Amino acid sequence: MEVGFAAPVSGSWATPEHMIHVARRAERLGYRSLWTFQRLLYPAEGGYGEMYRSVQDPVVTLSFLAAHTERIRLGTAVLNLPFVSPVLLAKQLSTLDIVSGGRLDVGLGLGWSDDEFAATGADKRERGKRAVEFVRVLRTLWTEEVVEHAGGFYRVPRTRMEPKPVQRPHPPVLLGGGVPEALRRVGRVADGWISGSQADLTSIGDAVATVKTAAAEAGRDPDALRFVCRGAVRVRPAGAADRKPLTGSLDEIRADVAELAGRGITELFLDLNFDPEIGSPDADPAASLRRADEVLEAFAPGA
Protein backbone atom coordinates (compact mmCIF):
# COMPACT_ATOMS: atom_id res chain seq x y z
CA MET A 1 0.00 0.00 0.00
CA GLU A 2 1.35 3.41 -1.04
CA VAL A 3 1.13 6.30 1.43
CA GLY A 4 0.33 9.91 0.58
CA PHE A 5 -0.37 13.09 2.52
CA ALA A 6 -2.90 15.91 2.28
CA ALA A 7 -1.74 19.46 1.66
CA PRO A 8 -2.87 22.16 4.12
CA VAL A 9 -6.00 23.49 2.42
CA SER A 10 -8.48 24.02 5.27
CA GLY A 11 -8.44 26.51 8.11
CA SER A 12 -5.73 28.74 9.53
CA TRP A 13 -2.77 26.52 8.63
CA ALA A 14 -3.58 26.63 4.89
CA THR A 15 -1.02 29.35 4.09
CA PRO A 16 1.34 29.38 1.10
CA GLU A 17 4.32 28.90 3.41
CA HIS A 18 2.78 25.90 5.14
CA MET A 19 1.68 24.38 1.84
CA ILE A 20 5.24 24.53 0.53
CA HIS A 21 6.66 23.19 3.80
CA VAL A 22 4.35 20.16 3.89
CA ALA A 23 4.67 19.42 0.18
CA ARG A 24 8.46 19.54 0.15
CA ARG A 25 8.82 17.57 3.36
CA ALA A 26 6.40 14.91 2.14
CA GLU A 27 8.42 14.61 -1.06
CA ARG A 28 11.73 14.36 0.81
CA LEU A 29 10.32 11.68 3.12
CA GLY A 30 9.17 9.54 0.21
CA TYR A 31 5.40 9.99 0.27
CA ARG A 32 3.86 9.02 -3.04
CA SER A 33 1.24 11.72 -3.38
CA LEU A 34 -0.17 15.02 -2.17
CA TRP A 35 -3.94 15.58 -2.08
CA THR A 36 -6.49 18.42 -1.89
CA PHE A 37 -10.27 18.65 -1.59
CA GLN A 38 -12.98 21.08 -2.68
CA ARG A 39 -15.51 23.14 -0.75
CA LEU A 40 -17.02 26.23 -2.41
CA LEU A 41 -19.36 27.64 0.25
CA TYR A 42 -20.19 27.34 3.93
CA PRO A 43 -23.70 28.05 5.32
CA ALA A 44 -24.19 31.38 7.08
CA GLU A 45 -26.32 29.59 9.67
CA GLY A 46 -25.46 26.12 10.87
CA GLY A 47 -22.63 24.32 9.17
CA TYR A 48 -21.01 21.14 7.95
CA GLY A 49 -18.02 21.08 10.30
CA GLU A 50 -14.93 23.13 11.10
CA MET A 51 -12.91 21.72 8.21
CA TYR A 52 -15.32 23.25 5.66
CA ARG A 53 -15.42 26.83 6.94
CA SER A 54 -12.39 28.08 4.98
CA VAL A 55 -11.02 25.95 2.13
CA GLN A 56 -8.52 26.87 -0.58
CA ASP A 57 -9.24 25.97 -4.21
CA PRO A 58 -7.77 22.52 -4.97
CA VAL A 59 -6.65 23.08 -8.57
CA VAL A 60 -4.99 26.42 -7.84
CA THR A 61 -3.28 24.91 -4.78
CA LEU A 62 -1.88 21.98 -6.76
CA SER A 63 -0.73 24.28 -9.56
CA PHE A 64 1.14 26.33 -6.96
CA LEU A 65 2.69 23.23 -5.38
CA ALA A 66 3.65 21.78 -8.77
CA ALA A 67 6.20 24.59 -8.98
CA HIS A 68 7.65 23.73 -5.56
CA THR A 69 7.97 19.94 -5.98
CA GLU A 70 9.52 17.58 -8.50
CA ARG A 71 8.37 13.98 -8.00
CA ILE A 72 5.38 13.67 -5.69
CA ARG A 73 2.06 13.04 -7.43
CA LEU A 74 -0.71 15.65 -7.11
CA GLY A 75 -4.33 14.61 -6.57
CA THR A 76 -7.82 16.08 -6.18
CA ALA A 77 -10.08 14.24 -3.74
CA VAL A 78 -12.48 15.33 -5.03
CA LEU A 79 -13.63 17.95 -7.55
CA ASN A 80 -17.43 18.09 -7.79
CA LEU A 81 -18.18 17.59 -11.45
CA PRO A 82 -21.78 18.95 -11.58
CA PHE A 83 -20.49 22.45 -10.80
CA VAL A 84 -18.31 22.88 -13.91
CA SER A 85 -18.16 22.20 -17.63
CA PRO A 86 -16.09 19.17 -18.62
CA VAL A 87 -14.46 21.28 -21.33
CA LEU A 88 -13.28 23.91 -18.87
CA LEU A 89 -12.05 21.30 -16.41
CA ALA A 90 -10.31 19.32 -19.15
CA LYS A 91 -8.35 22.42 -20.15
CA GLN A 92 -7.41 23.32 -16.56
CA LEU A 93 -6.35 19.79 -15.67
CA SER A 94 -4.47 19.28 -18.91
CA THR A 95 -2.47 22.41 -18.11
CA LEU A 96 -1.86 21.22 -14.54
CA ASP A 97 -0.62 17.87 -15.83
CA ILE A 98 1.76 19.70 -18.18
CA VAL A 99 3.20 22.13 -15.62
CA SER A 100 3.64 19.30 -13.09
CA GLY A 101 5.43 17.06 -15.58
CA GLY A 102 2.66 14.45 -15.70
CA ARG A 103 1.99 13.99 -11.99
CA LEU A 104 -1.78 14.55 -11.81
CA ASP A 105 -4.43 12.20 -10.39
CA VAL A 106 -7.99 13.39 -11.05
CA GLY A 107 -10.53 12.57 -8.36
CA LEU A 108 -14.14 13.51 -9.17
CA GLY A 109 -17.31 13.48 -7.09
CA LEU A 110 -21.00 14.22 -7.50
CA GLY A 111 -21.35 16.90 -4.80
CA TRP A 112 -23.77 16.97 -1.86
CA SER A 113 -24.14 20.59 -0.68
CA ASP A 114 -27.53 22.07 -1.60
CA ASP A 115 -26.04 25.55 -1.22
CA GLU A 116 -23.34 24.82 -3.78
CA PHE A 117 -25.78 23.28 -6.23
CA ALA A 118 -27.98 26.37 -5.98
CA ALA A 119 -25.10 28.83 -6.26
CA THR A 120 -23.52 27.14 -9.28
CA GLY A 121 -26.81 26.57 -11.07
CA ALA A 122 -26.22 22.82 -11.09
CA ASP A 123 -28.93 20.16 -11.16
CA LYS A 124 -28.90 17.37 -8.56
CA ARG A 125 -31.05 15.09 -10.69
CA GLU A 126 -29.47 12.18 -12.59
CA ARG A 127 -26.03 12.91 -11.15
CA GLY A 128 -24.89 9.36 -11.80
CA LYS A 129 -25.69 9.49 -15.49
CA ARG A 130 -24.10 12.94 -15.67
CA ALA A 131 -20.90 11.57 -14.12
CA VAL A 132 -20.60 8.80 -16.70
CA GLU A 133 -20.98 11.27 -19.57
CA PHE A 134 -18.65 13.80 -17.91
CA VAL A 135 -15.86 11.21 -17.68
CA ARG A 136 -16.42 10.20 -21.29
CA VAL A 137 -16.13 13.83 -22.45
CA LEU A 138 -12.97 14.38 -20.41
CA ARG A 139 -11.27 11.35 -21.90
CA THR A 140 -12.34 12.28 -25.41
CA LEU A 141 -10.96 15.80 -25.05
CA TRP A 142 -7.68 14.42 -23.71
CA THR A 143 -7.17 11.70 -26.31
CA GLU A 144 -8.88 12.56 -29.61
CA GLU A 145 -7.38 14.92 -32.19
CA VAL A 146 -10.85 16.08 -33.27
CA VAL A 147 -13.60 16.12 -30.67
CA GLU A 148 -17.34 15.98 -31.26
CA HIS A 149 -19.89 15.02 -28.62
CA ALA A 150 -23.67 15.29 -28.32
CA GLY A 151 -25.09 13.69 -25.20
CA GLY A 152 -27.84 14.04 -22.67
CA PHE A 153 -25.98 16.61 -20.56
CA TYR A 154 -23.09 18.00 -22.60
CA ARG A 155 -22.46 19.09 -26.19
CA VAL A 156 -19.07 19.76 -27.78
CA PRO A 157 -19.08 20.96 -31.41
CA ARG A 158 -16.55 19.51 -33.84
CA THR A 159 -13.39 21.12 -32.45
CA ARG A 160 -9.86 20.49 -31.21
CA MET A 161 -8.45 20.87 -27.71
CA GLU A 162 -4.72 21.37 -27.39
CA PRO A 163 -2.37 20.87 -25.70
CA LYS A 164 -3.06 17.38 -24.41
CA PRO A 165 -1.95 16.16 -20.98
CA VAL A 166 1.55 14.73 -20.56
CA GLN A 167 0.26 11.39 -19.26
CA ARG A 168 -0.89 8.91 -21.88
CA PRO A 169 -3.54 8.08 -22.64
CA HIS A 170 -4.65 10.60 -19.99
CA PRO A 171 -4.35 11.33 -16.24
CA PRO A 172 -6.01 8.67 -14.08
CA VAL A 173 -9.68 9.44 -13.40
CA LEU A 174 -10.88 8.28 -9.98
CA LEU A 175 -14.44 8.57 -8.71
CA GLY A 176 -15.77 9.02 -5.19
CA GLY A 177 -19.06 7.82 -3.72
CA GLY A 178 -20.08 5.35 -1.07
CA VAL A 179 -23.51 3.95 -1.93
CA PRO A 180 -23.65 0.66 -3.87
CA GLU A 181 -24.65 2.20 -7.20
CA ALA A 182 -21.82 4.76 -7.00
CA LEU A 183 -19.36 1.96 -6.26
CA ARG A 184 -20.62 -0.09 -9.18
CA ARG A 185 -20.26 2.99 -11.41
CA VAL A 186 -16.61 3.23 -10.41
CA GLY A 187 -16.05 -0.36 -11.48
CA ARG A 188 -17.68 0.26 -14.85
CA VAL A 189 -16.10 3.55 -15.92
CA ALA A 190 -13.27 4.82 -13.68
CA ASP A 191 -9.59 4.07 -13.13
CA GLY A 192 -10.21 3.72 -9.42
CA TRP A 193 -12.10 4.78 -6.30
CA ILE A 194 -11.51 7.43 -3.62
CA SER A 195 -13.23 6.99 -0.27
CA GLY A 196 -14.85 9.94 1.50
CA SER A 197 -14.00 11.42 4.88
CA GLN A 198 -17.04 9.73 6.46
CA ALA A 199 -16.36 6.26 5.07
CA ASP A 200 -16.64 3.38 7.52
CA LEU A 201 -13.07 2.11 7.50
CA THR A 202 -14.06 -1.08 9.32
CA SER A 203 -16.08 -2.21 6.28
CA ILE A 204 -14.10 -0.55 3.50
CA GLY A 205 -13.14 -3.95 2.13
CA ASP A 206 -16.79 -4.49 1.19
CA ALA A 207 -16.72 -1.31 -0.91
CA VAL A 208 -13.56 -2.48 -2.65
CA ALA A 209 -15.21 -5.81 -3.41
CA THR A 210 -18.29 -4.11 -4.87
CA VAL A 211 -16.14 -2.04 -7.23
CA LYS A 212 -14.12 -5.06 -8.32
CA THR A 213 -17.20 -7.15 -8.97
CA ALA A 214 -18.73 -4.42 -11.14
CA ALA A 215 -15.47 -4.08 -13.05
CA ALA A 216 -15.34 -7.80 -13.77
CA GLU A 217 -18.97 -7.82 -14.88
CA ALA A 218 -18.16 -4.97 -17.28
CA GLY A 219 -15.28 -6.93 -18.78
CA ARG A 220 -12.60 -4.83 -17.11
CA ASP A 221 -9.60 -5.98 -15.07
CA PRO A 222 -10.41 -5.43 -11.37
CA ASP A 223 -6.75 -5.73 -10.42
CA ALA A 224 -5.88 -2.74 -12.61
CA LEU A 225 -8.00 -0.38 -10.50
CA ARG A 226 -6.68 1.87 -7.75
CA PHE A 227 -8.34 2.14 -4.35
CA VAL A 228 -7.43 5.35 -2.55
CA CYS A 229 -8.50 5.92 1.05
CA ARG A 230 -8.67 9.33 2.67
CA GLY A 231 -7.25 8.79 6.14
CA ALA A 232 -8.83 11.47 8.33
CA VAL A 233 -6.18 11.24 11.05
CA ARG A 234 -6.74 12.66 14.55
CA VAL A 235 -3.85 12.22 16.97
CA ARG A 236 -5.24 11.92 20.49
CA PRO A 237 -4.31 10.25 23.81
CA ALA A 238 -4.19 6.47 23.69
CA GLY A 239 -6.75 4.09 25.10
CA ALA A 240 -10.08 5.78 24.36
CA ALA A 241 -12.93 3.31 24.86
CA ASP A 242 -14.88 4.54 21.84
CA ARG A 243 -11.86 5.01 19.58
CA LYS A 244 -12.53 5.16 15.85
CA PRO A 245 -10.01 4.01 13.21
CA LEU A 246 -7.18 6.50 12.58
CA THR A 247 -7.98 8.35 15.82
CA GLY A 248 -5.72 7.87 18.84
CA SER A 249 -2.02 7.61 19.55
CA LEU A 250 0.53 7.29 16.77
CA ASP A 251 0.94 3.60 17.61
CA GLU A 252 -2.82 3.00 17.51
CA ILE A 253 -3.09 4.81 14.18
CA ARG A 254 -0.13 2.84 12.84
CA ALA A 255 -1.96 -0.40 13.62
CA ASP A 256 -5.06 0.92 11.84
CA VAL A 257 -2.99 1.72 8.75
CA ALA A 258 -1.65 -1.83 8.70
CA GLU A 259 -5.21 -3.20 8.82
CA LEU A 260 -6.30 -1.02 5.88
CA ALA A 261 -3.49 -2.45 3.79
CA GLY A 262 -5.14 -5.85 4.13
CA ARG A 263 -8.56 -4.68 2.96
CA GLY A 264 -7.74 -4.02 -0.68
CA ILE A 265 -6.68 -0.40 -0.33
CA THR A 266 -3.83 0.38 -2.74
CA GLU A 267 -3.12 3.89 -1.42
CA LEU A 268 -3.84 5.73 1.82
CA PHE A 269 -3.31 9.44 2.24
CA LEU A 270 -3.15 10.95 5.71
CA ASP A 271 -5.37 14.03 5.96
CA LEU A 272 -5.08 16.36 8.96
CA ASN A 273 -7.45 18.93 7.47
CA PHE A 274 -10.37 16.91 8.87
CA ASP A 275 -9.09 17.22 12.44
CA PRO A 276 -11.09 20.18 13.92
CA GLU A 277 -8.06 21.00 16.07
CA ILE A 278 -6.06 21.61 12.86
CA GLY A 279 -8.43 22.32 9.94
CA SER A 280 -10.34 25.12 11.70
CA PRO A 281 -9.86 28.85 11.04
CA ASP A 282 -9.61 29.20 14.84
CA ALA A 283 -6.74 26.72 15.28
CA ASP A 284 -3.20 27.85 16.05
CA PRO A 285 -1.45 27.54 12.65
CA ALA A 286 2.03 27.10 14.14
CA ALA A 287 0.81 24.31 16.41
CA SER A 288 -0.98 22.67 13.48
CA LEU A 289 2.22 22.63 11.45
CA ARG A 290 4.17 21.12 14.33
CA ARG A 291 1.60 18.34 14.62
CA ALA A 292 1.75 17.77 10.86
CA ASP A 293 5.53 17.43 11.02
CA GLU A 294 5.14 14.83 13.75
CA VAL A 295 2.72 12.78 11.63
CA LEU A 296 4.81 13.19 8.49
CA GLU A 297 7.84 11.81 10.30
CA ALA A 298 5.96 9.00 12.04
CA PHE A 299 4.37 7.56 8.88
CA ALA A 300 7.10 8.27 6.34
CA PRO A 301 7.45 5.35 3.92
CA GLY A 302 10.21 3.12 5.17
CA ALA A 303 10.21 4.68 8.65
Side-chain angles (χ1 to χ4, degrees), residues 177-180 183 193 195-196 198-211 227 229 244-246 256 259-265:
V179 301
L183 296 170
W193 176 60
S195 71
Q198 301 299 315
D200 181 358
L201 301 186
T202 63
S203 62
I204 200 167
D206 295 336
V208 171
T210 298
V211 174
F227 294 89
C229 175
K244 295 181 179 180
L246 301 182
D256 295 335
E259 286 191 18
L260 285 169
R263 293 176 178 164
I265 297 300

Side-chain angles (χ1 to χ4, degrees), residues 7 42 87 103 116 128 152 164 167 186 216 227 234 267:
Y42 188 80
V87 174
R103 292 186 279 146
E116 292 177 346
K164 304 296 187 189
Q167 296 181 83
V186 173
F227 294 89
R234 300 183 182 190
E267 183 174 347

Side-chain angles (χ1 to χ4, degrees), residues 41-105:
L41 299 172
Y42 188 80
E45 287 79 34
Y48 307 135
E50 285 297 294
M51 70 293 295
Y52 293 138
R53 283 172 57 194
S54 175
V55 181
Q56 303 282 14
D57 180 81
V59 175
V60 173
T61 298
L62 292 182
S63 299
F64 173 66
L65 293 178
H68 293 280
T69 55
E70 297 177 354
R71 300 177 305 279
I72 197 166
R73 291 194 64 81
L74 308 170
T76 61
V78 292
L79 300 172
N80 293 307
L81 62 87
F83 303 158
V84 294
S85 156
V87 174
L88 175 61
L89 192 62
K91 173 64 74 170
Q92 291 175 325
L93 297 181
S94 180
T95 302
L96 177 50
D97 197 53
I98 291 168
V99 300
S100 69
R103 292 186 279 146
L104 178 63
D105 289 323

Side-chain angles (χ1 to χ4, degrees), residues 34-196:
L34 196 69
W35 295 85
T36 57
F37 74 92
Q38 183 181 59
R39 187 86 282 125
L40 300 180
L41 299 172
Y42 188 80
E45 287 79 34
Y48 307 135
E50 285 297 294
M51 70 293 295
Y52 293 138
R53 283 172 57 194
S54 175
V55 181
Q56 303 282 14
D57 180 81
V59 175
V60 173
T61 298
L62 292 182
S63 299
F64 173 66
L65 293 178
H68 293 280
T69 55
E70 297 177 354
R71 300 177 305 279
I72 197 166
R73 291 194 64 81
L74 308 170
T76 61
V78 292
L79 300 172
N80 293 307
L81 62 87
F83 303 158
V84 294
S85 156
V87 174
L88 175 61
L89 192 62
K91 173 64 74 170
Q92 291 175 325
L93 297 181
S94 180
T95 302
L96 177 50
D97 197 53
I98 291 168
V99 300
S100 69
R103 292 186 279 146
L104 178 63
D105 289 323
V106 180
L108 301 175
L110 301 187
W112 49 263
S113 166
D114 290 339
D115 296 320
E116 292 177 346
F117 272 92
T120 58
D123 192 338
K124 291 190 77 171
R125 295 173 297 181
E126 297 187 294
R127 285 177 293 167
K129 292 180 180 179
R130 181 182 294 273
V132 172
E133 187 175 336
F134 193 104
V135 170
R136 185 162 62 248
V137 174
L138 274 185
R139 287 174 170 158
T140 301
L141 288 162
W142 285 337
T143 59
E144 299 294 330
E145 181 179 355
V146 176
V147 178
E148 189 170 20
H149 176 86
F153 302 96
Y154 305 106
R155 177 179 176 272
V156 183
R158 185 173 171 80
T159 49
R160 303 172 188 267
M161 194 203 84
E162 299 289 348
K164 304 296 187 189
V166 170
Q167 296 181 83
R168 295 289 186 267
H170 52 73
V173 178
L174 314 173
L175 290 178
V179 301
E181 180 51 39
L183 296 170
R184 289 190 288 268
R185 185 182 308 118
V186 173
R188 293 193 300 268
V189 306
D191 300 311
W193 176 60
I194 299 179
S195 71

Side-chain angles (χ1 to χ4, degrees), residues 230-303:
R230 164 177 273 115
V233 170
R234 300 183 182 190
V235 179
R236 299 290 190 271
D242 58 348
R243 191 181 75 85
K244 295 181 179 180
L246 301 182
T247 296
S249 69
L250 292 175
D251 285 341
E252 288 174 327
I253 294 169
R254 192 173 287 110
D256 295 335
V257 169
E259 286 191 18
L260 285 169
R263 293 176 178 164
I265 297 300
T266 61
E267 183 174 347
L268 167 75
F269 69 93
L270 308 174
D271 195 342
L272 300 184
N273 292 291
F274 285 78
D275 183 343
E277 295 182 3
I278 294 177
S280 168
D282 301 326
D284 178 348
S288 296
L289 189 62
R290 287 195 298 270
R291 295 173 70 175
D293 277 335
E294 179 184 26
V295 174
L296 277 163
E297 190 70 34
F299 293 94

